Amino acid sequence: MHRLWNRADFAFSSAWQNFWRNAAVSIASVLIVWVVLLALGSLLLVLHSLDQIVALEKTKASAISVYLSDTTPLSSAMDFKLHLENDPRVTNVTFVSKDQAMARFRELPALDPSVIDTLGTNPLPASLDVTVRDIRDLGAIDQAVRNSPLVDRSPATNYEPNVIDKIILLARVAGVAGLVLIVGLTGLSVFIIMLTIRTAIYLRRKEIEVMKLVGATDWFVRWPFIVEGLFVGMIGAVVAVLIVGFGYRPAVVNLQSILIFVPLSFDQYYLRLVLAAMLCFGLLLGSVGSYLGVRRFLKQ
Amino acid sequence: MATVIPAVPQISLQGVHKQYPNGTVALRDVTLAIPKQDFVFLVGPSGAGKSTLVRLLIREEKVTAGQIHVEGQDLSRLKRRHLPYLRRKIGMVFQDFKLLPNLTVFQNVAFALRVTEGALRHLKPKVEEVLSIVGLEGKENKFPDQLSGGEQQRVAIARALVHDPRIFLADEPTGNLDPATSWEIIQLLLQINARGTTVLMATHNREIVDVMRRRVVAIEGGQIVRDEDAGGYHAPALESR
């Protein structure tokens, strides 16, 4: 027990001294860890949002809204609805009135209700929401309804065949670009932490020489530097975690006010996972960098 | 010497050859046996291979060919992770003392115990014990730069004694000291030897070697050229000239 305590006490006090003895280099490594983790955390959250959007769009994909012109009488709309319901390719048709459309619009997150009130009249059309059995029939249905005189012209439907493909592509590109960025920054941070530890070793080389001479084990020599790396990783991680943790909600709200029609959401559970991952990754960066930094020296 | 020589020497070198990566051959076919409690002077000109031999004994360097046994262990087969435990059986001092300038006398000695994870409750009495052996009571709180060269070497000796080593290696311990102080250090090494520790001292100090009349191993050009009990710094033939 006392051996463990002795080792821990020695490792922590040495690491603390080292950290401050070459404060400039230590702070540089803290900064690089911080940047890496900030990038990692933000990337994970952005990718998660894109995933959610893709999932949502996929569920919406088997349905289109057919917009009715404002002059269409309700009875004609109901006839049209019946006509569509008789189509074997269609599973369900729902009528959405102008008022219901407005109510839905108001529910969009981060939309200032006062903006809607200044519009005065309701500009939104009534619609028939048509769900099909097979997504591939959507194009044909879209073509068929466009020719009806009851249907609005601007736009006739919300059918956009490429939107899902585009979102999926965007998610992939963002994922790959982000991964490349993270891998590059990770390599850079491990390298910089390694240099920090080398500097620390250089400053303490006489002490280490004596330690080895009197019979200290490699791990006893190594621990203070690993702990110093963990300090660096932890400080960088904590700062990044605080920024991401407190910045996520405002970021979602602000983005939502710009991207009104993109369904962004605030996922508290996923955020916790990301923050935990950032902390672990920070500690990992610090310890791996230190281990590599000490390794070459101990091999001698 | 009057001591009984045991069957297995405490330190033995057999056909030891050492070539450094840059091509320099430091030792050629060195065979040497040092029994327990022996006191050996290792003499020879600079670059003869004395320091290399000392470094091989604590395995700071590995042999190129041949075998070294220390305390019954074959050093070329000793695993790296077992090396620290060998070093705890060997006390070492150098010409340049290798003290840590930012630690006090007490802390310098205690450092050796701390980093080898000795029991902390024994730390203070042990440090005090070795400091009294080397005669540094009352100087515990001084820093190395407040001490004379001889006192600094005593601190280094105290540090080397803190693990109760069975072997004591001294590489030019009097190299930076004046003659009077050198004698004090030699007296201390004799005391350590008298307590049962084997002492191997590499030195240039002709006067000391000649007066002491202990076993002398002379190295030149990486080879042992003389090994005699109760010898002088130079071979008898040279001395008589």
Side-chain angles (χ1 to χ4, degrees), chain A residues 57 60-68 96 104 125-131 138-139 141-142 145-146 151-164 261:
Chain A
E57 289 298 328
K60 284 205 286 182
S62 57
I64 53 169
S65 294
V66 177
Y67 299 120
L68 303 174
V96 179
R104 277 192 198 176
S127 66
L128 291 172
D129 288 357
V130 182
T131 311
L138 273 180
I141 302 275
D142 177 66
V145 298
R146 275 176 192 277
V151 171
D152 200 354
R153 288 284 171 268
S154 52
T157 70
N158 64 353
Y159 179 60
E160 276 185 79
N162 296 325
V163 73
I164 298 165
F261 298 100

Side-chain angles (χ1 to χ4, degrees), chain A residues 6 9 209 215 218 298, chain B residues 80 87-88 98-99 114 117:
Chain A
N6 180 27
D9 180 38
E209 186 192 354
D218 283 355
L298 280 177
Chain B
R80 204 193 138 76
R87 298 230 173 122
R88 290 176 203 180
K98 296 196 194 293
L99 298 177
R114 273 208 81 185
E117 304 176 81

Side-chain angles (χ1 to χ4, degrees), chain A residues 44-239:
Chain A
L44 286 175
L45 290 173
V46 166
L47 290 181
H48 183 62
S49 288
L50 284 172
D51 263 0
Q52 284 182 319
I53 294 168
V54 169
L56 199 67
E57 289 298 328
K58 273 185 180 158
T59 61
K60 284 205 286 182
S62 57
I64 53 169
S65 294
V66 177
Y67 299 120
L68 303 174
S69 62
D70 282 359
T71 54
T72 307
L74 188 60
S75 57
S76 308
M78 286 302 150
D79 286 346
F80 191 34
K81 178 173 182 272
L82 202 62
H83 168 69
L84 285 171
E85 278 170 346
N86 287 335
D87 190 311
R89 295 169 297 188
V90 172
T91 55
N92 183 40
V93 183
T94 312
F95 176 73
V96 179
S97 70
K98 281 177 73 75
D99 288 346
Q100 283 167 329
M102 178 50 90
R104 277 192 198 176
F105 186 65
R106 279 178 188 277
E107 279 171 19
L108 282 176
L111 196 66
D112 189 351
S114 61
V115 174
I116 303 166
D117 294 336
T118 59
L119 293 173
T121 58
N122 178 359
L124 299 174
S127 66
L128 291 172
D129 288 357
V130 182
T131 311
V132 294
R133 215 176 298 279
D134 189 332
I135 296 177
R136 284 168 292 184
D137 292 330
L138 273 180
I141 302 275
D142 177 66
Q143 279 306 311
V145 298
R146 275 176 192 277
N147 299 325
S148 165
L150 304 177
V151 171
D152 200 354
R153 288 284 171 268
S154 52
T157 70
N158 64 353
Y159 179 60
E160 276 185 79
N162 296 325
V163 73
I164 298 165
D165 291 347
K166 279 181 189 160
I167 291 171
I168 291 173
L169 185 71
L170 177 68
R172 282 205 191 129
V173 169
V176 170
L179 201 69
V180 169
L181 188 75
I182 295 292
V183 168
L185 285 174
T186 300
L188 189 66
S189 64
V190 165
F191 181 68
I192 291 184
I193 292 168
M194 211 167 80
L195 290 184
T196 313
I197 298 301
R198 291 244 170 99
T199 312
I201 290 174
Y202 185 76
L203 291 172
R204 296 185 88 104
R205 63 197 178 285
K206 201 169 171 187
E207 203 171 311
I208 293 173
E209 186 192 354
V210 173
M211 282 167 86
K212 288 170 78 178
L213 192 72
V214 299
T217 59
D218 283 355
W219 270 106
F220 196 91
V221 175
R222 202 178 273 141
W223 267 119
F225 299 107
I226 302 275
V227 170
E228 190 188 347
L230 289 173
F231 275 168
V232 166
M234 198 176 64
I235 298 171
V238 165
V239 179

Side-chain angles (χ1 to χ4, degrees), chain B residues 25-100:
Chain B
V25 177
L27 292 176
R28 300 165 204 271
D29 194 30
V30 170
T31 297
L32 178 66
I34 300 174
K36 266 192 184 120
Q37 298 182 20
D38 212 350
F39 191 114
V40 182
F41 286 114
L42 192 60
V43 302
S46 295
K50 303 190 298 291
S51 288
T52 297
L53 201 149
V54 169
R55 288 154 69 93
L56 288 173
L57 290 179
I58 55 166
R59 223 192 70 178
E60 213 174 297
E61 294 288 345
K62 279 184 164 181
V63 294
T64 313
Q67 278 192 320
I68 299 183
H69 285 83
V70 174
E71 282 279 309
Q73 279 176 304
D74 182 346
L75 293 198
S76 45
R77 289 197 188 165
L78 186 69
K79 291 203 172 75
R80 204 193 138 76
R81 65 194 154 89
H82 294 142
L83 189 54
Y85 305 99
L86 171 81
R87 298 230 173 122
R88 290 176 203 180
K89 293 179 193 167
I90 304 175
M92 271 226 69
V93 292
F94 301 87
Q95 184 170 0
D96 62 351
F97 319 134
K98 296 196 194 293
L99 298 177
L100 299 175

